[in-house]
Amino acid sequence: MTFFKSSRSAQQLTVWCLFTMLAVMSNLAWAAVGYVHEASGEVRVQNGSAAARTVKPGDTFDPGVTFQTSGNGNAVIKFEDGQLAKLQPNTLFKVDQYSFNANNPKAGSSALNLLRGAMRFVTGVIGSTNRSNVRLAAGTATIGIRGSDMTLVVSAAGAVEAATVVHGAIALQTPAGATNVNAGQFSAAPVGQAPTPVAPIAAAPAAVQAVVNTTAAAVLPVNTPVAVQAAANAATAVAAAQSAIAASATATAAAAAARNAPPAVAAAAAAQAAQASAVAAAAQATAATAQVQANTQAQAVVATAFQAGAAPAAPPAPPAASAAAQVVAAAAAPVATVATVQAAAAAATQVAATAATVAQTAATQATSAATAAATAATQASTAATPAAAQAAAAAAQTAASAAGAQATEATAQVTVAAAATSTTQASVQATAQAAATQATSQAQAATAQVQVAATAATQAATATTPAAAQAAASAANAAASAASAQAAATTAQAAVASVATTQVTQQTGAVIQAAQAAATQASTQAQAATVQSQAATTAATQAATATTAAGAQAAASAAQAAASAAGAQASAATAQATVVVAQVTGQTAQAVVAQAAAAQATTAAATATQSATQATTAATQAVTAPNATAAAAAAATAGQAAVGAAASAAQAAAAAPTAAPTVPLPFVAPAPAPAPAPAPAPVVAPPVVAPPVVAPPVVIPPTVTPPPILCGGSPC
């Protein structure tokens, strides 16, 4: 009996082992071979006779699938060995066969088929290690790979309308003949005919050039091996961050629309915008963390492949305004070696880890700001006096600006990771890092105003005199304007960081320097707004402690003047941020217009600041005046200066743009993206002190479009 039981146990163990082996073999056989790095518009995938399904970033795929893009569809797919396919609209692309094992990279193979449409294709380590194992069909032609970065265009009838190469070379073959296409060259293959003689890309038909120039502008991840699932997870996190940023933009637009509503309504909208910004910041931090995990796992795959004899592939050519320009840039790029690829992967992972840590801190601070905004919104709805309600609403706006600035800071930080993963140019990485560091500083300055505004709101609610309440409300408004100015400066710095990974090859050094100069000017305006916030706080204290009515009123006027000056500086900072974005995106005409507007806003802000200084001086004189006559005269002077500051603030607001700028994405597909929801420029609010003057702008911060994570799991 004992023997029977033992034999039965052994049989059970054997069966269990067999099932385990089958399960392992099944997992190996069906492991995903690639993932969708990016997708926009309508993109679908079909496997055999199964129903087609919509593709989203982070989806993985197996051999046998067919990708189809619609008229607005774009996709970037990446394979385990690193090879890339950038699918343009109206494209049909099939993965006939694919296999890769990092332990035996020389045995890897890939068979792909571009049935119609346009595609940029970059080989990975299969192509660099054993190029004969990469088989690529294009319509009725076949493509011989020689370690290439190419763009192919195939008609619905199967004719190769264009075969262009920016790096490496290909052999374009049809049953009627063949030709070699080298870097910088173009050929075509009509159905049933031999390929046309090669010619420079610049000599290709205009329609062909339009397509290849579009693919040239695309920012692609590096073509080194990845851990597919980890890379897919990172791509999913990036998409989630994009959705969160879109929701934040919607909430910001709603807050902008409510800015002239009653304080309680405006405060509630600001609180919602702050909460949405906090969610966006958290999503970006999560995406950055996923990127670190993907890079770390990818490093192990890269190391294994190289130890097993894989040869490093030439990286994708850097983005450029045209394919011809891209050829030049690719030729100048250093040759990839095992050492340089591994060093770049390690460095990028470290940079991404640091950026993720900073982004996480920004997300935490954004959440705190959102909580403060919600508290202020509640105070605005229950305030006992108009001044207290206005101060609470300003506190909510301040917190909303701070949350937005922190979300922008998170964007700048993950853009630093993108800079490390998209280029080996030290100067480019240094530009991104310096700008992101400055963005962090600006966001911290915006966050510091949250407590200032909250304190002012409390003072307004507990003030014992109307002048003290009005002065406290002005101090809260000044803090809101200072936070808004710092948020605008954060956007400007984030735009400079972003250009390092998106279009730096398309910009001249002079343009980059001009953008940096405008961003620096935005930072200067933001600092000036912060100084005025401090002046308003001091004046509010004077108003609360003044022993005479004239002294209290003079101090209230000084607080109002400082708030107006802070608002004018916020307008100027927003205008400068608009200049930066126009410059880095190559919008020359818009940049010229924006520069003129920024100059007007800056001049008006300087005038407002002078008036605020006069009011501050007069208030001090009124508070310390030896007699009532002198105090009254000083109070009148302060009131006049406040009126002047308000008028200048109105001029600055009029010169500022009606919509805040958006930062270019560091990894966006070249297809047109939906227009972002506009954020408001500084707006003049109703007066809060006598004599009647215009209160400072309370601005929702400019919105930054989605998080700049580039590699989606590539070890870059």
Side-chain angles (χ1 to χ4, degrees), residues 92-509:
L92 195 63
F93 172 73
K94 185 178 182 182
V95 181
D96 287 322
Q97 180 272 330
Y98 181 90
S99 66
F100 176 74
N101 185 339
N103 291 297
N104 187 13
K106 295 180 181 179
S109 62
S110 175
L112 312 172
N113 192 348
L114 178 61
L115 299 168
R116 71 163 186 270
M119 172 185 73
R120 180 176 169 189
F121 180 75
V122 182
T123 52
V125 298
I126 293 177
S128 61
T129 304
N130 190 351
R131 65 190 187 193
S132 64
N133 281 6
V134 178
R135 298 180 296 280
L136 177 58
T140 57
T142 58
I143 308 296
I145 301 297
R146 299 179 183 176
S148 308
D149 183 342
M150 73 190 80
T151 294
L152 303 171
V153 182
V154 175
S155 71
V160 178
E161 297 180 337
T164 64
V165 179
V166 297
H167 188 269
I170 64 173
L172 179 60
Q173 304 169 338
T174 72
T179 190
N180 293 327
V181 184
N182 298 313
Q185 294 181 333
F186 146 82
S187 182
V191 176
Q193 300 180 31
T196 61
V198 296
I201 292 176
V208 169
Q209 288 198 49
V211 173
V212 298
N213 289 345
T214 297
T215 64
V219 180
L220 298 179
V222 297
N223 55 336
T224 46
V226 294
V228 172
Q229 191 56 59
N233 292 343
T236 299
V238 169
Q242 288 178 312
S243 296
I245 290 174
S248 176
T250 300
T252 297
R259 65 194 176 213
N260 291 326
V265 176
Q272 291 176 354
Q275 179 59 37
S277 292
V279 171
Q284 291 181 90
T286 298
T289 300
Q291 178 66 47
V292 174
Q293 295 171 346
N295 280 359
T296 301
Q297 293 187 35
Q299 276 187 268
V301 179
V302 170
T304 299
F306 284 163
Q307 289 173 359
S322 68
Q326 195 173 42
V327 171
V328 176
V335 176
T337 66
V338 171
T340 59
V341 170
Q342 290 186 317
T349 300
Q350 181 58 51
V351 169
T354 300
T357 298
V358 178
Q360 185 58 60
T361 300
T364 300
Q365 293 180 344
T367 299
S368 296
T371 300
T375 299
T378 299
Q379 292 174 340
S381 66
T382 59
T385 66
Q390 184 185 19
Q397 294 279 7
T398 304
S401 290
Q406 291 294 346
T408 303
E409 178 199 350
T411 299
Q413 289 298 333
V414 292
T415 298
V416 167
T421 56
S422 66
T423 177
T424 58
Q425 300 177 47
S427 61
V428 170
Q429 294 182 25
T431 297
Q433 289 176 324
T437 298
Q438 186 61 39
T440 297
S441 177
Q442 308 291 174
Q444 294 297 336
T447 301
Q449 293 298 312
V450 174
Q451 185 57 51
V452 174
T455 299
T458 299
Q459 291 173 341
T462 58
T464 57
T465 66
Q470 292 166 353
S474 292
N477 277 332
S481 290
S484 174
Q486 295 290 357
T490 305
T491 295
Q493 294 294 345
V496 173
S498 180
V499 74
T501 58
T502 52
Q503 301 180 34
V504 70
T505 57
Q506 301 177 31
Q507 308 294 330
T508 65

